[in-house]
């Protein structure tokens, strides 16, 4: 990797992009880099060490917590807390947000982080790739006071940074600070991330659709109509169906090849399944920064005003012309816009 920039070098070089920052955001991104390496080490040996299988506990979503879920959550919570950079963290694995106090009980740090520490964790036991998703905001309540829920319930268009780690055939960290999307690949021998995918761009069109068609009969009519459109023999259709049950991996592939990922409402999931704050907003920020789009089928994800920490929303995200096509079918059924 002689001529590839490292993630550390990239963060320092682009420090100037962050107005008024004293290097805190850079240090915050570096702490995420460290946590990603720690989790990657465990994920890559999951088959060998007895940390597979359910931990016996369940999270607020009522989902079985796999031991790696807990491990990843603790790794990111610990790394983010130790660096005196964030004043609060919300996680899929934590029932409520966590107030982070500095050494002298300071609440002087100005960033908050929302995280899905190990998305797609049901894939762990079958050796399919999983991911970490993170979202970073500036706090909105006075510095020096403990963070409140108001700091976490900000619309996605106020994110200062967002990204994911995909633990796949190689481990990549992909993130944006509002100046485009860049992908870094881990060289495990050196423990260093190298810039391997500069300025990632969603192809405007694509021929991959990612959705769990097993729920077809439960989908809104607009989604059923769009799926039939994808399967018709016309022009560049039928499209290919690619869905591996891991949002980060499906999104990452679609961003490189072109495609759309849909998790809609259904009679089984009236609000959809994915969480707005630590899945849909960061993924939507990345999509838009890469020239793609993300909506709930009707309105832009990044403009949704959050009301609850773990609220779920439907999501249509990917190549902007494919999302637009799906929205045309959804628009025929305005009654499905409310969830
Ligand atoms: P289903 C994983 O649990 C996840 O949050 C996403 O990563 C994935 O795309 C989706 O849920 C899979 O859900 O209902 O199709 O199994």
């Amino acid at each position: 990797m002689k001529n590839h920039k490292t993630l550390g070098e990239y963060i320092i070089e682009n420090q100037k992009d962050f107005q008024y920052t004293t290097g805190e955001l850079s240090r915050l991104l570096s702490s995420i880099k460290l946590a990603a390496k720690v989790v990657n080490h465990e994920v890559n040996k999951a088959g060998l060490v007895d940390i597979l299988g359910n931990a016996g506990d369940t999270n607020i979503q009522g989902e079985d917590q796999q031991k790696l879920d807990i491990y990843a959550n603790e790794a990111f919570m610990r790394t983010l807390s130790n660096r005196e950079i964030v004043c609060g963290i919300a996680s899929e694995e934590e029932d409520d947000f966590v107030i982070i106090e500095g050494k002298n009980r300071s609440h002087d740090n100005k960033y908050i982080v929302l995280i899905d520490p190990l998305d797609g964790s049901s894939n762990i036991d079958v050796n399919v790739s999983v991911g970490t998703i993170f979202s970073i905001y500036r706090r909105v309540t006075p510095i020096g006071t403990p963070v409140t829920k108001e700091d976490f319930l900000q619309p996605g268009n106020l994110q200062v940074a967002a990204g994911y780690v995909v633990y796949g055939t190689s481990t990549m960290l992909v993130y944006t600070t509002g100046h485009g999307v860049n992908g870094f690949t881990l060289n495990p021998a050196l423990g260093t991330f190298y810039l391997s995918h500069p300025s990632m761009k969603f192809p405007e069109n694509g021929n991959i659709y990612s959705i769990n068609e097993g729920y077809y009969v439960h989908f809104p009519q607009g989604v059923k109509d769009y799926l039939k459109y994808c399967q018709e023999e016309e022009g560049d259709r039928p499209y290919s169906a690619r869905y591996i049950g891991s949002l980060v991996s499906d999104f990452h592939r679609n961003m490189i090849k072109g495609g759309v990922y849909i998790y809609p409402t259904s009679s089984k999931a009236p609000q959809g399944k994915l969480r707005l704050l630590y899945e849909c907003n960061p993924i939507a920020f990345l999509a838009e920064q890469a020239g793609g789009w993300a909506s709930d089928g009707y309105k832009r994800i990044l403009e949704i005003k959050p009301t609850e920490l773990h609220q779920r929303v439907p999501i249509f995200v990917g190549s902007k012309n494919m999302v637009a096509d799906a929205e045309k079918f959804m628009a025929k059924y305005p009654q499905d816009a409310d969830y």
Side-chain angles (χ1 to χ4, degrees):
M1 295 288 200
K2 58 186 181 311
N3 56 355
H4 282 276
K5 199 170 292 179
T6 68
L7 176 54
E9 290 162 351
Y10 183 85
I11 289 172
I12 291 166
E13 268 182 28
N14 292 277
Q15 172 74 44
K16 63 189 179 307
D17 288 342
F18 318 136
Q19 283 185 321
Y20 322 121
T21 181
T22 55
E24 278 179 305
L25 186 57
S26 304
R27 294 206 325 273
L28 174 45
L29 291 169
S30 294
S31 66
I32 289 173
K33 174 179 71 167
L34 172 62
K37 290 188 220 177
V38 169
V39 172
N40 176 64
H41 181 66
E42 288 304 318
V43 166
N44 279 348
K45 67 180 184 183
L48 303 173
V49 179
D50 178 32
I51 55 176
L52 285 175
N54 295 347
D57 197 358
T58 59
N59 61 18
I60 192 169
Q61 327 293 344
E63 294 167 345
D64 288 344
Q65 279 192 299
Q66 308 256 358
K67 287 180 184 172
L68 262 179
D69 274 350
I70 298 171
Y71 180 89
N73 188 51
E74 287 168 1
F76 277 92
M77 297 291 283
R78 182 174 57 249
T79 316
L80 288 168
S81 309
N82 290 350
R83 298 262 183 118
E84 297 278 299
I85 306 162
V86 300
C87 47
I89 304 173
S91 168
E92 183 199 40
E93 302 303 337
E94 303 285 343
D95 294 353
D96 202 349
F97 64 88
V98 176
I99 297 171
I100 306 296
E101 293 179 351
K103 285 193 181 63
N104 52 357
R105 294 179 55 74
S106 72
H107 299 289
D108 298 336
N109 304 326
K110 58 178 167 237
Y111 293 104
I112 61 147
V113 180
L114 299 106
I115 195 158
D116 182 357
L118 209 61
D119 181 72
S121 55
S122 56
N123 285 317
I124 294 167
D125 289 355
V126 294
N127 206 16
V128 168
S129 60
V130 292
T132 296
I133 310 171
F134 61 89
S135 172
I136 301 171
Y137 291 84
R138 245 179 237 94
R139 69 178 297 173
V140 292
T141 54
I143 288 184
T145 63
V147 286
T148 69
K149 187 163 276 192
E150 186 188 354
D151 291 302
F152 295 90
L153 299 184
Q154 300 183 52
N157 56 15
L158 294 180
Q159 291 174 95
V160 293
Y164 58 80
V165 184
V166 51
Y167 309 98
T169 45
S170 62
T171 294
M172 281 192 69
L173 192 154
V174 178
Y175 81 95
T176 182
T177 57
H179 302 274
V181 178
N182 290 285
F184 299 80
T185 300
L186 180 66
N187 178 336
L190 303 178
T192 304
F193 282 98
Y194 286 90
L195 180 60
S196 53
H197 297 67
S199 300
M200 297 182 80
K201 287 288 177 214
F202 250 111
E204 289 197 350
N205 300 295
N207 63 7
I208 294 172
Y209 67 95
S210 306
I211 187 170
N212 186 338
E213 289 189 77
Y215 304 147
Y216 178 84
V217 297
H218 303 288
F219 285 153
Q221 191 56 45
V223 173
K224 291 180 180 174
D225 292 354
Y226 177 64
L227 291 180
K228 288 308 157 207
Y229 167 81
C230 292
Q231 293 156 2
E232 279 167 357
E233 189 83 38
E234 173 136 10
D236 60 350
R237 288 172 283 133
Y239 295 156
S240 295
R242 290 285 185 276
Y243 187 75
I244 69 169
S246 182
L247 165 63
V248 170
S249 303
D250 281 318
F251 178 82
H252 185 75
R253 179 203 55 244
N254 291 350
M255 181 154 62
I256 293 170
K257 291 181 175 280
V260 64
Y261 172 99
I262 301 173
Y263 207 107
T265 60
S266 70
S267 48
K268 294 168 77 78
Q271 277 77 37
K273 176 183 181 184
L274 300 190
R275 294 80 167 180
L276 174 60
L277 293 185
Y278 42 80
E279 289 177 323
C280 297
N281 272 338
I283 288 294
F285 188 21
L286 288 161
E288 289 197 12
Q289 284 291 312
W293 192 251
S295 78
D296 64 1
Y298 297 91
K299 60 184 176 298
R300 186 179 177 225
I301 289 282
L302 294 183
E303 289 175 2
I304 296 176
K305 178 68 180 94
T307 54
E308 288 302 323
L309 210 50
H310 299 287
Q311 79 184 76
R312 301 172 192 265
V313 295
I315 185 167
F316 297 61
V317 59
S319 296
K320 68 177 183 182
N321 294 342
M322 296 185 81
V323 175
D325 287 343
E327 288 174 340
K328 285 187 193 113
F329 289 96
M330 299 303 285
K332 295 177 188 169
Y333 308 92
Q335 71 278 12
D336 290 336
D338 299 322
Y339 46 87

